[in-house]
Amino acid sequence: MKKLMMCFLIGILLIGTAACGNKTAEKDATAQFKNSVFMGDSITEGFAVNEILPNESVMAGAGATAGYIYEEYIDDLAEKKPDNVFIMLGSDDMLMPVDDPKALFESDLTKLINKIKEEVPNAKIYLQSIAPVTQEALKQEPRYERIEEYNELLKELTGKLSINYVDIGALAKENHNLFAEDGVHFKKEFYQLWLKKLSESL
């Protein structure tokens, strides 16, 4: 009986140690982004919703477009003076009910990035690719077929504006099981992988 109890206690201790190890690893991952800001739509907002990053580091919201981010957050960004600014936009811009959503997106995003450069000239800017969606989500919203087309535009802009490009699409495709039920957003576990990917670009 004593032996059984000892095994049980050791098991509990090992589980606790592993959990602490995971928490420490998570803290180490987020520590690199202490003075960074993440701008985007509800996908980026998941960093705050899932308590991966503090709310003040995430300037994002459901339905956010490049134009909306410019209007709503540029003053807050200037006050925060971040070392790094990570932008993921486009998923909602491509759904805008205008004649040429891609041209509007390019114009608004260029305006946003130039303003960030003006307000926080020492910050490094990272433009992230638009994340893919599942086939089920594509059936629900066919306009998502243009994601790769928009990502090509993002690559061109990073060259023109001399900023950094990070491809998040490949990471999402490698972790297909971490899509949320709607096939557009992601489960909490994906965000830690996302941060690890970004840390390699710092």
Side-chain angles (χ1 to χ4, degrees):
M1 187 68 181
K2 281 185 178 179
K3 192 173 182 181
L4 187 63
M5 184 60 73
M6 186 64 75
C7 288
F8 176 74
L9 290 172
I10 289 171
I12 292 293
L13 184 63
L14 288 173
I15 290 168
T17 303
C20 288
N22 289 339
K23 292 274 185 190
T24 303
E26 286 178 16
K27 282 183 180 177
D28 289 344
T30 56
Q32 295 181 71
F33 302 96
K34 189 175 181 182
N35 197 33
S36 295
V37 163
F38 290 72
M39 307 185 98
D41 53 36
S42 55
I43 297 173
T44 298
E45 191 181 23
F47 278 113
V49 172
N50 289 299
E51 300 180 341
I52 306 293
L53 294 171
N55 288 334
E56 59 269 22
S57 295
V58 183
M59 299 181 183
T65 61
Y68 176 85
I69 292 292
Y70 181 93
E71 295 294 335
E72 288 294 315
Y73 293 112
I74 204 69
D75 291 338
D76 293 341
L77 184 75
E79 284 180 26
K80 191 166 175 57
K81 293 184 175 63
D83 295 326
N84 306 294
V85 180
F86 296 93
I87 303 168
M88 181 188 275
L89 288 163
S91 291
D92 291 306
D93 295 81
M94 70 176 63
L95 306 181
M96 289 286 283
V98 296
D99 290 338
D100 192 343
K102 186 178 174 185
L104 179 63
F105 175 52
E106 181 176 6
S107 174
D108 285 347
L109 187 58
T110 300
K111 182 181 172 184
L112 173 64
I113 290 168
N114 283 333
K115 188 65 173 175
I116 292 170
K117 286 182 169 185
E118 182 185 319
E119 296 291 342
V120 279
N122 296 321
K124 289 183 180 177
I125 303 172
Y126 297 83
L127 195 54
Q128 302 166 90
S129 64
I130 302 167
V133 300
T134 63
Q135 285 300 311
E136 292 78 11
L138 193 57
K139 287 175 189 172
Q140 294 290 322
E141 180 45 83
R143 285 176 290 183
Y144 283 137
E145 284 182 353
R146 301 188 70 186
I147 286 176
E148 285 309 312
E149 181 188 335
Y150 274 64
N151 281 337
E152 286 303 314
L153 170 64
L154 294 180
K155 287 178 191 174
E156 289 172 21
L157 282 179
T158 55
K160 286 180 188 175
L161 301 172
S162 300
I163 58 175
N164 306 284
Y165 181 78
V166 185
D167 182 7
I168 299 301
L171 184 66
K173 288 171 185 173
E174 288 166 11
N175 295 277
H176 201 266
N177 60 314
L178 296 183
F179 273 99
E181 198 172 319
D182 65 2
V184 175
H185 296 85
F186 295 97
K187 296 176 182 176
K188 181 177 181 178
E189 294 82 359
F190 182 78
Y191 287 87
Q192 290 295 344
L193 298 176
W194 187 349
L195 281 188
K196 186 179 178 185
K197 173 77 175 175
L198 293 179
S199 70
E200 295 166 5
S201 304
L202 292 175

